[in-house]
Amino acid sequence: FPDEPYRRRCGGIAERLRRTRHHLTGDPGPTGGRYADAEELLGELDEMQRSLTTAGLRRVAAGTVQDFRWQVETFGFHLAELEIRQHAAVHRAAVAALEAGMNGAATNGAGATPIDADLGAGVSLGEVLDTFRAVDRIRTRFGRAAAGRVVVSFTEQVSDVTDVLKLAEAAIGAAAADLDVVPLFESAASLEAADALLESILADPRYRAHLRGRSDRQEVMLGYSDSNKESGFLTANWLLYRAQAALAAVADRQGVELTIFHGRGGTVGRGGGRLDRAVLGQPRGTVRGRLKVTEQGEVVASRYGNSAIALRHLELLAGAVIVAGVEDAEGKTGGPANASNADLSVMNRLAEASSAAYRSLVYDDPGFAGFFRRVTPIDVLTTMRLGSRPASRATGLPSEEGGIEALRAIPWGFAWAQARIELPGWYGLGSALDALVRADGASALDHLASLYRTWPYLTAVIDHAELALARSDLGVARRYASLAGAKGDARRWAEIEAEHERCVQGVLAITGRARLLDSSPAIVRAIALRNPDIDTLSELQVGRLARLRSLPRDAAGRADLERLVRLTVSGVAAGLQVTG
């Protein structure tokens, strides 16, 4: 096509992309080899757009070519970035094993070399180092944007961050300077101390030098699941809110550009719900046009499975980020625009009372773990291949003696959803509101109602609790409660029902509505349409669970019965559109 220079150029780009995709041999470069990175391709497209504009073809340059350019800018050659996540304790053990090897300690007590030593959870030092080498290979093959962030679970001390740099340098040398270390704060204690720890991390000379090489950009991840499981719905939300405000203040003092990574799940108990409302409810000064959030499980299908719904969701999310960014630019940092110190004090009191009520049921009652195991299908859920990690951080399931602490947050939330209770999404809120009214009088609810109308954070919290309460069905849940038969189980169930009623009445008093979700008729209609079919599956599940638990392990037909129960789990989850 000698008279079609743009088509010829596009043909050359297509061939170079083919060679890049298949990683064909030959040096990268403009002579026809593969692209070194996506930036080189963007340079060609930029040149083409300038030429088209000069030739009077501006509509083509701003149309088809620009669409292609946006795809390259968004996806590069890698589609999505791969992030590495590892527990801080594993990194600590890896550093200890590495230093032992460098000091000439050839073996440990079991006779293994340091490189093969078990660091916990079946991970060896060799595997940790190989992980960093894999990241380096990915970056070399698909571009620097393809990988490079290392999330450190349960970050508790400065060395948890610097350990990553030590291990990466041992594995890939100078290339470690291109990695981003992301501390993850997820427990109540770590959220309360997050600002002090970030201050210490940024004060560490070695790490700050590394951060300067990363343009003084720091990402911090906040965990919504473990904080909720540990402290309850309301308290976890308030701890996360305060942690964000405090982290933003530290970043401002240190001259660091902070991005907060929200580790939200699909259920209300794990930070799910309307993301746009959640964004608008963030503390002032914490968004600033930058937002990172996880989309997990069934949420991916429900929000992105249909292009029109996906576009609408992204429009809402982008709009919320823009609005929050404008408010941040006005210099409002740390708290709500219309909340006084007295308002913040009320929230502190509510959080404290909510946590006390939640922990009294879940952690202080020595028989609650056994109750939870009887009234939910947790024993079946843990045998299904549903997640990337085991259901529990320890061996076995919750027993009469305990085990709730070691159970991961995803099966915890999933089990309560299957039993139609959704306890992690509301428990403790009603008791906290009652305690406030007893102390301050009925006017306390009027005060909260005013804040609900003017403070986006409280609006999001109450609306998400309302959604969880509306999706729960205590009529069906009583059938699951009938599976419990141990002494004290009737009392525990009575406490759950009473707290549910307190929560409903409290939410209605704050929102001013006569019934739950009165302002969301579409959601009410969806629940009403789905529930009859889900109720049938729930009834089938309860009956088969009772029968399954009564059979010996080697009983004939047990495998078929287990398969049937698993099918009901999948059906209920699909109908509720809620897992963990």
Side-chain angles (χ1 to χ4, degrees), residues 374-377 418-421 473-485 493 497 535-547 549:
R374 287 187 290 275
V375 301
T376 71
Q418 284 285 307
R420 312 293 293 280
I421 302 169
D473 189 327
L474 292 196
V476 177
R478 290 186 191 103
R479 293 286 294 124
Y480 285 87
S482 69
L483 295 172
W493 178 249
E497 286 215 48
D535 294 349
T536 302
L537 287 170
S538 293
E539 180 64 27
L540 182 63
Q541 185 180 110
V542 169
R544 299 308 178 272
L545 267 177
R547 184 179 170 190
R549 290 170 179 174

PDB file of all heavy atoms in Angstrom, residues 374-377 418-421 473-485 493 497 535-547 549:
ATOM      1  N   ARG A 374     -22.206 -25.061  64.947  1.00  0.00           N
ATOM      2  CA  ARG A 374     -23.450 -25.815  64.819  1.00  0.00           C
ATOM      3  C   ARG A 374     -24.499 -25.088  63.973  1.00  0.00           C
ATOM      4  O   ARG A 374     -25.235 -25.715  63.219  1.00  0.00           O
ATOM      5  CB  ARG A 374     -24.022 -26.124  66.203  1.00  0.00           C
ATOM      6  CG  ARG A 374     -23.246 -27.188  66.967  1.00  0.00           C
ATOM      7  CD  ARG A 374     -23.947 -27.578  68.267  1.00  0.00           C
ATOM      8  NE  ARG A 374     -23.887 -26.509  69.255  1.00  0.00           N
ATOM      9  CZ  ARG A 374     -22.871 -26.297  70.090  1.00  0.00           C
ATOM     10  NH1 ARG A 374     -21.802 -27.085  70.023  1.00  0.00           N
ATOM     11  NH2 ARG A 374     -22.892 -25.321  70.967  1.00  0.00           N
ATOM     12  N   VAL A 375     -24.582 -23.763  64.092  1.00  0.00           N
ATOM     13  CA  VAL A 375     -25.678 -23.044  63.433  1.00  0.00           C
ATOM     14  C   VAL A 375     -25.329 -22.566  62.025  1.00  0.00           C
ATOM     15  O   VAL A 375     -26.191 -22.028  61.331  1.00  0.00           O
ATOM     16  CB  VAL A 375     -26.152 -21.837  64.280  1.00  0.00           C
ATOM     17  CG1 VAL A 375     -26.614 -22.288  65.642  1.00  0.00           C
ATOM     18  CG2 VAL A 375     -25.078 -20.775  64.375  1.00  0.00           C
ATOM     19  N   THR A 376     -24.095 -22.743  61.592  1.00  0.00           N
ATOM     20  CA  THR A 376     -23.693 -22.367  60.238  1.00  0.00           C
ATOM     21  C   THR A 376     -23.081 -23.584  59.539  1.00  0.00           C
ATOM     22  O   THR A 376     -22.646 -24.531  60.208  1.00  0.00           O
ATOM     23  CB  THR A 376     -22.653 -21.230  60.242  1.00  0.00           C
ATOM     24  OG1 THR A 376     -21.402 -21.738  60.727  1.00  0.00           O
ATOM     25  CG2 THR A 376     -23.104 -20.060  61.108  1.00  0.00           C
ATOM     26  N   PRO A 377     -23.018 -23.573  58.224  1.00  0.00           N
ATOM     27  CA  PRO A 377     -22.398 -24.695  57.499  1.00  0.00           C
ATOM     28  C   PRO A 377     -20.888 -24.548  57.359  1.00  0.00           C
ATOM     29  O   PRO A 377     -20.315 -24.950  56.337  1.00  0.00           O
ATOM     30  CB  PRO A 377     -23.098 -24.630  56.136  1.00  0.00           C
ATOM     31  CG  PRO A 377     -23.383 -23.182  55.934  1.00  0.00           C
ATOM     32  CD  PRO A 377     -23.677 -22.619  57.307  1.00  0.00           C
ATOM     33  N   GLN A 418     -24.603 -17.637  54.661  1.00  0.00           N
ATOM     34  CA  GLN A 418     -25.327 -18.856  54.321  1.00  0.00           C
ATOM     35  C   GLN A 418     -26.453 -19.137  55.316  1.00  0.00           C
ATOM     36  O   GLN A 418     -27.523 -19.606  54.932  1.00  0.00           O
ATOM     37  CB  GLN A 418     -24.358 -20.037  54.299  1.00  0.00           C
ATOM     38  CG  GLN A 418     -23.476 -20.090  53.068  1.00  0.00           C
ATOM     39  CD  GLN A 418     -24.214 -20.567  51.834  1.00  0.00           C
ATOM     40  OE1 GLN A 418     -24.844 -21.625  51.836  1.00  0.00           O
ATOM     41  NE2 GLN A 418     -24.150 -19.781  50.765  1.00  0.00           N
ATOM     42  N   ALA A 419     -26.215 -18.832  56.580  1.00  0.00           N
ATOM     43  CA  ALA A 419     -27.233 -19.057  57.614  1.00  0.00           C
ATOM     44  C   ALA A 419     -28.268 -17.947  57.653  1.00  0.00           C
ATOM     45  O   ALA A 419     -29.130 -17.933  58.537  1.00  0.00           O
ATOM     46  CB  ALA A 419     -26.565 -19.207  58.983  1.00  0.00           C
ATOM     47  N   ARG A 420     -28.171 -16.989  56.723  1.00  0.00           N
ATOM     48  CA  ARG A 420     -29.127 -15.893  56.538  1.00  0.00           C
ATOM     49  C   ARG A 420     -29.153 -14.939  57.720  1.00  0.00           C
ATOM     50  O   ARG A 420     -30.171 -14.291  57.999  1.00  0.00           O
ATOM     51  CB  ARG A 420     -30.539 -16.472  56.278  1.00  0.00           C
ATOM     52  CG  ARG A 420     -30.597 -17.575  55.233  1.00  0.00           C
ATOM     53  CD  ARG A 420     -30.282 -17.066  53.851  1.00  0.00           C
ATOM     54  NE  ARG A 420     -31.294 -16.161  53.369  1.00  0.00           N
ATOM     55  CZ  ARG A 420     -32.468 -16.565  52.851  1.00  0.00           C
ATOM     56  NH1 ARG A 420     -32.715 -17.866  52.722  1.00  0.00           N
ATOM     57  NH2 ARG A 420     -33.353 -15.690  52.432  1.00  0.00           N
ATOM     58  N   ILE A 421     -28.016 -14.804  58.400  1.00  0.00           N
ATOM     59  CA  ILE A 421     -27.932 -13.960  59.590  1.00  0.00           C
ATOM     60  C   ILE A 421     -27.122 -12.696  59.304  1.00  0.00           C
ATOM     61  O   ILE A 421     -27.446 -11.611  59.791  1.00  0.00           O
ATOM     62  CB  ILE A 421     -27.321 -14.741  60.775  1.00  0.00           C
ATOM     63  CG1 ILE A 421     -28.166 -15.987  61.082  1.00  0.00           C
ATOM     64  CG2 ILE A 421     -27.240 -13.859  62.022  1.00  0.00           C
ATOM     65  CD1 ILE A 421     -27.517 -16.955  62.037  1.00  0.00           C
ATOM     66  N   ASP A 473     -32.467 -12.764  57.266  1.00  0.00           N
ATOM     67  CA  ASP A 473     -33.833 -13.275  57.378  1.00  0.00           C
ATOM     68  C   ASP A 473     -33.897 -14.169  58.608  1.00  0.00           C
ATOM     69  O   ASP A 473     -33.528 -15.343  58.566  1.00  0.00           O
ATOM     70  CB  ASP A 473     -34.204 -14.057  56.112  1.00  0.00           C
ATOM     71  CG  ASP A 473     -35.677 -14.439  56.062  1.00  0.00           C
ATOM     72  OD1 ASP A 473     -36.258 -14.688  57.149  1.00  0.00           O
ATOM     73  OD2 ASP A 473     -36.247 -14.481  54.963  1.00  0.00           O
ATOM     74  N   LEU A 474     -34.359 -13.607  59.712  1.00  0.00           N
ATOM     75  CA  LEU A 474     -34.347 -14.367  60.964  1.00  0.00           C
ATOM     76  C   LEU A 474     -35.361 -15.501  60.949  1.00  0.00           C
ATOM     77  O   LEU A 474     -35.210 -16.476  61.698  1.00  0.00           O
ATOM     78  CB  LEU A 474     -34.608 -13.435  62.148  1.00  0.00           C
ATOM     79  CG  LEU A 474     -33.506 -12.420  62.458  1.00  0.00           C
ATOM     80  CD1 LEU A 474     -33.696 -11.839  63.858  1.00  0.00           C
ATOM     81  CD2 LEU A 474     -32.117 -13.026  62.340  1.00  0.00           C
ATOM     82  N   GLY A 475     -36.388 -15.398  60.107  1.00  0.00           N
ATOM     83  CA  GLY A 475     -37.319 -16.513  59.994  1.00  0.00           C
ATOM     84  C   GLY A 475     -36.607 -17.760  59.491  1.00  0.00           C
ATOM     85  O   GLY A 475     -36.775 -18.856  60.042  1.00  0.00           O
ATOM     86  N   VAL A 476     -35.809 -17.605  58.441  1.00  0.00           N
ATOM     87  CA  VAL A 476     -35.019 -18.722  57.929  1.00  0.00           C
ATOM     88  C   VAL A 476     -33.877 -19.049  58.888  1.00  0.00           C
ATOM     89  O   VAL A 476     -33.558 -20.217  59.123  1.00  0.00           O
ATOM     90  CB  VAL A 476     -34.458 -18.391  56.531  1.00  0.00           C
ATOM     91  CG1 VAL A 476     -33.576 -19.526  56.021  1.00  0.00           C
ATOM     92  CG2 VAL A 476     -35.589 -18.123  55.552  1.00  0.00           C
ATOM     93  N   ALA A 477     -33.281 -18.029  59.466  1.00  0.00           N
ATOM     94  CA  ALA A 477     -32.140 -18.236  60.355  1.00  0.00           C
ATOM     95  C   ALA A 477     -32.519 -19.078  61.572  1.00  0.00           C
ATOM     96  O   ALA A 477     -31.677 -19.809  62.107  1.00  0.00           O
ATOM     97  CB  ALA A 477     -31.587 -16.891  60.806  1.00  0.00           C
ATOM     98  N   ARG A 478     -33.771 -19.005  61.992  1.00  0.00           N
ATOM     99  CA  ARG A 478     -34.195 -19.821  63.144  1.00  0.00           C
ATOM    100  C   ARG A 478     -34.098 -21.308  62.827  1.00  0.00           C
ATOM    101  O   ARG A 478     -33.902 -22.132  63.717  1.00  0.00           O
ATOM    102  CB  ARG A 478     -35.614 -19.443  63.555  1.00  0.00           C
ATOM    103  CG  ARG A 478     -35.719 -18.065  64.187  1.00  0.00           C
ATOM    104  CD  ARG A 478     -37.116 -17.783  64.719  1.00  0.00           C
ATOM    105  NE  ARG A 478     -37.224 -16.373  65.067  1.00  0.00           N
ATOM    106  CZ  ARG A 478     -37.844 -15.456  64.332  1.00  0.00           C
ATOM    107  NH1 ARG A 478     -38.445 -15.835  63.202  1.00  0.00           N
ATOM    108  NH2 ARG A 478     -37.878 -14.193  64.703  1.00  0.00           N
ATOM    109  N   ARG A 479     -34.266 -21.657  61.556  1.00  0.00           N
ATOM    110  CA  ARG A 479     -34.107 -23.055  61.179  1.00  0.00           C
ATOM    111  C   ARG A 479     -32.654 -23.484  61.368  1.00  0.00           C
ATOM    112  O   ARG A 479     -32.382 -24.598  61.805  1.00  0.00           O
ATOM    113  CB  ARG A 479     -34.535 -23.247  59.720  1.00  0.00           C
ATOM    114  CG  ARG A 479     -36.001 -23.049  59.484  1.00  0.00           C
ATOM    115  CD  ARG A 479     -36.809 -24.243  60.015  1.00  0.00           C
ATOM    116  NE  ARG A 479     -36.504 -25.437  59.240  1.00  0.00           N
ATOM    117  CZ  ARG A 479     -36.055 -26.585  59.758  1.00  0.00           C
ATOM    118  NH1 ARG A 479     -35.815 -26.687  61.065  1.00  0.00           N
ATOM    119  NH2 ARG A 479     -35.825 -27.632  58.993  1.00  0.00           N
ATOM    120  N   TYR A 480     -31.715 -22.609  61.044  1.00  0.00           N
ATOM    121  CA  TYR A 480     -30.307 -22.917  61.288  1.00  0.00           C
ATOM    122  C   TYR A 480     -30.027 -22.974  62.788  1.00  0.00           C
ATOM    123  O   TYR A 480     -29.250 -23.814  63.257  1.00  0.00           O
ATOM    124  CB  TYR A 480     -29.407 -21.877  60.616  1.00  0.00           C
ATOM    125  CG  TYR A 480     -29.320 -22.030  59.119  1.00  0.00           C
ATOM    126  CD1 TYR A 480     -30.258 -21.417  58.290  1.00  0.00           C
ATOM    127  CD2 TYR A 480     -28.325 -22.794  58.530  1.00  0.00           C
ATOM    128  CE1 TYR A 480     -30.197 -21.553  56.912  1.00  0.00           C
ATOM    129  CE2 TYR A 480     -28.246 -22.938  57.151  1.00  0.00           C
ATOM    130  CZ  TYR A 480     -29.196 -22.321  56.345  1.00  0.00           C
ATOM    131  OH  TYR A 480     -29.131 -22.470  54.988  1.00  0.00           O
ATOM    132  N   ALA A 481     -30.663 -22.075  63.542  1.00  0.00           N
ATOM    133  CA  ALA A 481     -30.471 -22.078  64.998  1.00  0.00           C
ATOM    134  C   ALA A 481     -30.964 -23.373  65.625  1.00  0.00           C
ATOM    135  O   ALA A 481     -30.461 -23.805  66.675  1.00  0.00           O
ATOM    136  CB  ALA A 481     -31.195 -20.887  65.617  1.00  0.00           C
ATOM    137  N   SER A 482     -31.920 -24.025  64.964  1.00  0.00           N
ATOM    138  CA  SER A 482     -32.435 -25.287  65.500  1.00  0.00           C
ATOM    139  C   SER A 482     -31.394 -26.405  65.430  1.00  0.00           C
ATOM    140  O   SER A 482     -31.554 -27.434  66.098  1.00  0.00           O
ATOM    141  CB  SER A 482     -33.693 -25.705  64.735  1.00  0.00           C
ATOM    142  OG  SER A 482     -33.365 -26.079  63.392  1.00  0.00           O
ATOM    143  N   LEU A 483     -30.343 -26.192  64.626  1.00  0.00           N
ATOM    144  CA  LEU A 483     -29.276 -27.192  64.556  1.00  0.00           C
ATOM    145  C   LEU A 483     -28.447 -27.214  65.839  1.00  0.00           C
ATOM    146  O   LEU A 483     -27.728 -28.175  66.095  1.00  0.00           O
ATOM    147  CB  LEU A 483     -28.352 -26.890  63.367  1.00  0.00           C
ATOM    148  CG  LEU A 483     -28.969 -27.009  61.976  1.00  0.00           C
ATOM    149  CD1 LEU A 483     -27.997 -26.489  60.925  1.00  0.00           C
ATOM    150  CD2 LEU A 483     -29.345 -28.458  61.681  1.00  0.00           C
ATOM    151  N   ALA A 484     -28.505 -26.131  66.607  1.00  0.00           N
ATOM    152  CA  ALA A 484     -27.754 -26.059  67.863  1.00  0.00           C
ATOM    153  C   ALA A 484     -28.563 -26.724  68.961  1.00  0.00           C
ATOM    154  O   ALA A 484     -29.776 -26.543  69.060  1.00  0.00           O
ATOM    155  CB  ALA A 484     -27.471 -24.606  68.226  1.00  0.00           C
ATOM    156  N   GLY A 485     -27.892 -27.466  69.777  1.00  0.00           N
ATOM    157  CA  GLY A 485     -28.615 -28.149  70.843  1.00  0.00           C
ATOM    158  C   GLY A 485     -27.874 -28.175  72.152  1.00  0.00           C
ATOM    159  O   GLY A 485     -28.357 -28.722  73.143  1.00  0.00           O
ATOM    160  N   TRP A 493     -28.717 -17.578  70.918  1.00  0.00           N
ATOM    161  CA  TRP A 493     -29.575 -17.188  69.806  1.00  0.00           C
ATOM    162  C   TRP A 493     -30.516 -16.055  70.218  1.00  0.00           C
ATOM    163  O   TRP A 493     -30.777 -15.139  69.416  1.00  0.00           O
ATOM    164  CB  TRP A 493     -30.374 -18.381  69.297  1.00  0.00           C
ATOM    165  CG  TRP A 493     -31.297 -17.974  68.186  1.00  0.00           C
ATOM    166  CD1 TRP A 493     -32.651 -17.918  68.212  1.00  0.00           C
ATOM    167  CD2 TRP A 493     -30.906 -17.515  66.896  1.00  0.00           C
ATOM    168  NE1 TRP A 493     -33.136 -17.454  67.016  1.00  0.00           N
ATOM    169  CE2 TRP A 493     -32.085 -17.201  66.192  1.00  0.00           C
ATOM    170  CE3 TRP A 493     -29.675 -17.339  66.259  1.00  0.00           C
ATOM    171  CZ2 TRP A 493     -32.077 -16.719  64.880  1.00  0.00           C
ATOM    172  CZ3 TRP A 493     -29.656 -16.860  64.961  1.00  0.00           C
ATOM    173  CH2 TRP A 493     -30.851 -16.547  64.290  1.00  0.00           C
ATOM    174  N   GLU A 497     -31.035 -12.446  68.274  1.00  0.00           N
ATOM    175  CA  GLU A 497     -32.334 -11.908  67.838  1.00  0.00           C
ATOM    176  C   GLU A 497     -32.602 -10.553  68.483  1.00  0.00           C
ATOM    177  O   GLU A 497     -33.093  -9.618  67.823  1.00  0.00           O
ATOM    178  CB  GLU A 497     -33.449 -12.891  68.181  1.00  0.00           C
ATOM    179  CG  GLU A 497     -33.485 -14.119  67.298  1.00  0.00           C
ATOM    180  CD  GLU A 497     -34.910 -14.589  67.036  1.00  0.00           C
ATOM    181  OE1 GLU A 497     -35.760 -13.739  66.689  1.00  0.00           O
ATOM    182  OE2 GLU A 497     -35.169 -15.788  67.180  1.00  0.00           O
ATOM    183  N   ASP A 535     -34.994 -19.463  49.922  1.00  0.00           N
ATOM    184  CA  ASP A 535     -35.541 -20.086  51.131  1.00  0.00           C
ATOM    185  C   ASP A 535     -35.667 -21.593  50.955  1.00  0.00           C
ATOM    186  O   ASP A 535     -35.413 -22.372  51.889  1.00  0.00           O
ATOM    187  CB  ASP A 535     -36.908 -19.484  51.471  1.00  0.00           C
ATOM    188  CG  ASP A 535     -36.827 -18.020  51.877  1.00  0.00           C
ATOM    189  OD1 ASP A 535     -35.700 -17.538  52.088  1.00  0.00           O
ATOM    190  OD2 ASP A 535     -37.878 -17.361  51.957  1.00  0.00           O
ATOM    191  N   THR A 536     -36.065 -22.013  49.762  1.00  0.00           N
ATOM    192  CA  THR A 536     -36.193 -23.446  49.489  1.00  0.00           C
ATOM    193  C   THR A 536     -34.836 -24.136  49.592  1.00  0.00           C
ATOM    194  O   THR A 536     -34.711 -25.212  50.200  1.00  0.00           O
ATOM    195  CB  THR A 536     -36.782 -23.663  48.086  1.00  0.00           C
ATOM    196  OG1 THR A 536     -38.051 -23.016  48.006  1.00  0.00           O
ATOM    197  CG2 THR A 536     -36.949 -25.138  47.789  1.00  0.00           C
ATOM    198  N   LEU A 537     -33.809 -23.506  49.016  1.00  0.00           N
ATOM    199  CA  LEU A 537     -32.462 -24.065  49.102  1.00  0.00           C
ATOM    200  C   LEU A 537     -31.972 -24.091  50.547  1.00  0.00           C
ATOM    201  O   LEU A 537     -31.311 -25.040  50.973  1.00  0.00           O
ATOM    202  CB  LEU A 537     -31.507 -23.247  48.236  1.00  0.00           C
ATOM    203  CG  LEU A 537     -31.640 -23.417  46.720  1.00  0.00           C
ATOM    204  CD1 LEU A 537     -30.805 -22.372  45.996  1.00  0.00           C
ATOM    205  CD2 LEU A 537     -31.219 -24.823  46.308  1.00  0.00           C
ATOM    206  N   SER A 538     -32.285 -23.031  51.308  1.00  0.00           N
ATOM    207  CA  SER A 538     -31.859 -22.979  52.711  1.00  0.00           C
ATOM    208  C   SER A 538     -32.507 -24.100  53.513  1.00  0.00           C
ATOM    209  O   SER A 538     -31.859 -24.743  54.356  1.00  0.00           O
ATOM    210  CB  SER A 538     -32.209 -21.621  53.315  1.00  0.00           C
ATOM    211  OG  SER A 538     -31.454 -20.586  52.728  1.00  0.00           O
ATOM    212  N   GLU A 539     -33.800 -24.339  53.265  1.00  0.00           N
ATOM    213  CA  GLU A 539     -34.490 -25.419  53.977  1.00  0.00           C
ATOM    214  C   GLU A 539     -33.869 -26.764  53.631  1.00  0.00           C
ATOM    215  O   GLU A 539     -33.667 -27.615  54.513  1.00  0.00           O
ATOM    216  CB  GLU A 539     -35.972 -25.399  53.611  1.00  0.00           C
ATOM    217  CG  GLU A 539     -36.803 -26.487  54.285  1.00  0.00           C
ATOM    218  CD  GLU A 539     -36.845 -26.341  55.797  1.00  0.00           C
ATOM    219  OE1 GLU A 539     -36.707 -25.207  56.298  1.00  0.00           O
ATOM    220  OE2 GLU A 539     -37.009 -27.379  56.485  1.00  0.00           O
ATOM    221  N   LEU A 540     -33.554 -26.945  52.361  1.00  0.00           N
ATOM    222  CA  LEU A 540     -32.894 -28.180  51.936  1.00  0.00           C
ATOM    223  C   LEU A 540     -31.534 -28.311  52.612  1.00  0.00           C
ATOM    224  O   LEU A 540     -31.150 -29.401  53.068  1.00  0.00           O
ATOM    225  CB  LEU A 540     -32.736 -28.172  50.414  1.00  0.00           C
ATOM    226  CG  LEU A 540     -32.112 -29.411  49.769  1.00  0.00           C
ATOM    227  CD1 LEU A 540     -32.982 -30.638  50.004  1.00  0.00           C
ATOM    228  CD2 LEU A 540     -31.921 -29.184  48.270  1.00  0.00           C
ATOM    229  N   GLN A 541     -30.800 -27.207  52.709  1.00  0.00           N
ATOM    230  CA  GLN A 541     -29.476 -27.234  53.320  1.00  0.00           C
ATOM    231  C   GLN A 541     -29.542 -27.588  54.799  1.00  0.00           C
ATOM    232  O   GLN A 541     -28.750 -28.415  55.284  1.00  0.00           O
ATOM    233  CB  GLN A 541     -28.793 -25.876  53.143  1.00  0.00           C
ATOM    234  CG  GLN A 541     -27.353 -25.836  53.631  1.00  0.00           C
ATOM    235  CD  GLN A 541     -26.726 -24.468  53.435  1.00  0.00           C
ATOM    236  OE1 GLN A 541     -26.471 -23.767  54.405  1.00  0.00           O
ATOM    237  NE2 GLN A 541     -26.479 -24.082  52.180  1.00  0.00           N
ATOM    238  N   VAL A 542     -30.486 -26.992  55.517  1.00  0.00           N
ATOM    239  CA  VAL A 542     -30.598 -27.259  56.958  1.00  0.00           C
ATOM    240  C   VAL A 542     -30.877 -28.738  57.207  1.00  0.00           C
ATOM    241  O   VAL A 542     -30.239 -29.380  58.053  1.00  0.00           O
ATOM    242  CB  VAL A 542     -31.710 -26.391  57.582  1.00  0.00           C
ATOM    243  CG1 VAL A 542     -32.007 -26.847  59.013  1.00  0.00           C
ATOM    244  CG2 VAL A 542     -31.306 -24.926  57.600  1.00  0.00           C
ATOM    245  N   GLY A 543     -31.839 -29.280  56.468  1.00  0.00           N
ATOM    246  CA  GLY A 543     -32.183 -30.691  56.677  1.00  0.00           C
ATOM    247  C   GLY A 543     -31.038 -31.622  56.364  1.00  0.00           C
ATOM    248  O   GLY A 543     -30.771 -32.579  57.119  1.00  0.00           O
ATOM    249  N   ARG A 544     -30.323 -31.349  55.282  1.00  0.00           N
ATOM    250  CA  ARG A 544     -29.216 -32.228  54.899  1.00  0.00           C
ATOM    251  C   ARG A 544     -28.009 -32.039  55.817  1.00  0.00           C
ATOM    252  O   ARG A 544     -27.252 -32.988  56.055  1.00  0.00           O
ATOM    253  CB  ARG A 544     -28.815 -31.978  53.441  1.00  0.00           C
ATOM    254  CG  ARG A 544     -29.937 -32.255  52.435  1.00  0.00           C
ATOM    255  CD  ARG A 544     -30.529 -33.663  52.639  1.00  0.00           C
ATOM    256  NE  ARG A 544     -31.623 -33.960  51.738  1.00  0.00           N
ATOM    257  CZ  ARG A 544     -32.907 -33.682  51.978  1.00  0.00           C
ATOM    258  NH1 ARG A 544     -33.247 -33.079  53.113  1.00  0.00           N
ATOM    259  NH2 ARG A 544     -33.847 -34.020  51.125  1.00  0.00           N
ATOM    260  N   LEU A 545     -27.822 -30.852  56.329  1.00  0.00           N
ATOM    261  CA  LEU A 545     -26.736 -30.642  57.298  1.00  0.00           C
ATOM    262  C   LEU A 545     -26.960 -31.476  58.545  1.00  0.00           C
ATOM    263  O   LEU A 545     -26.031 -32.114  59.064  1.00  0.00           O
ATOM    264  CB  LEU A 545     -26.650 -29.165  57.675  1.00  0.00           C
ATOM    265  CG  LEU A 545     -25.706 -28.260  56.895  1.00  0.00           C
ATOM    266  CD1 LEU A 545     -25.829 -26.828  57.384  1.00  0.00           C
ATOM    267  CD2 LEU A 545     -24.262 -28.735  57.021  1.00  0.00           C
ATOM    268  N   ALA A 546     -28.199 -31.437  59.050  1.00  0.00           N
ATOM    269  CA  ALA A 546     -28.511 -32.211  60.256  1.00  0.00           C
ATOM    270  C   ALA A 546     -28.271 -33.702  60.014  1.00  0.00           C
ATOM    271  O   ALA A 546     -27.701 -34.413  60.859  1.00  0.00           O
ATOM    272  CB  ALA A 546     -29.961 -31.963  60.668  1.00  0.00           C
ATOM    273  N   ARG A 547     -28.690 -34.177  58.860  1.00  0.00           N
ATOM    274  CA  ARG A 547     -28.499 -35.593  58.546  1.00  0.00           C
ATOM    275  C   ARG A 547     -27.025 -35.920  58.369  1.00  0.00           C
ATOM    276  O   ARG A 547     -26.538 -36.954  58.851  1.00  0.00           O
ATOM    277  CB  ARG A 547     -29.278 -35.934  57.276  1.00  0.00           C
ATOM    278  CG  ARG A 547     -29.228 -37.408  56.910  1.00  0.00           C
ATOM    279  CD  ARG A 547     -30.040 -37.644  55.653  1.00  0.00           C
ATOM    280  NE  ARG A 547     -29.829 -38.988  55.137  1.00  0.00           N
ATOM    281  CZ  ARG A 547     -30.261 -39.399  53.954  1.00  0.00           C
ATOM    282  NH1 ARG A 547     -30.924 -38.573  53.175  1.00  0.00           N
ATOM    283  NH2 ARG A 547     -30.024 -40.630  53.557  1.00  0.00           N
ATOM    284  N   ARG A 549     -24.388 -34.484  59.654  1.00  0.00           N
ATOM    285  CA  ARG A 549     -23.660 -34.451  60.921  1.00  0.00           C
ATOM    286  C   ARG A 549     -23.975 -35.637  61.815  1.00  0.00           C
ATOM    287  O   ARG A 549     -23.203 -35.933  62.741  1.00  0.00           O
ATOM    288  CB  ARG A 549     -23.964 -33.142  61.647  1.00  0.00           C
ATOM    289  CG  ARG A 549     -23.354 -31.921  60.965  1.00  0.00           C
ATOM    290  CD  ARG A 549     -23.863 -30.629  61.542  1.00  0.00           C
ATOM    291  NE  ARG A 549     -23.241 -29.472  60.896  1.00  0.00           N
ATOM    292  CZ  ARG A 549     -23.583 -28.193  61.136  1.00  0.00           C
ATOM    293  NH1 ARG A 549     -24.556 -27.924  61.995  1.00  0.00           N
ATOM    294  NH2 ARG A 549     -22.960 -27.221  60.485  1.00  0.00           N
TER     295      ARG A 549
END
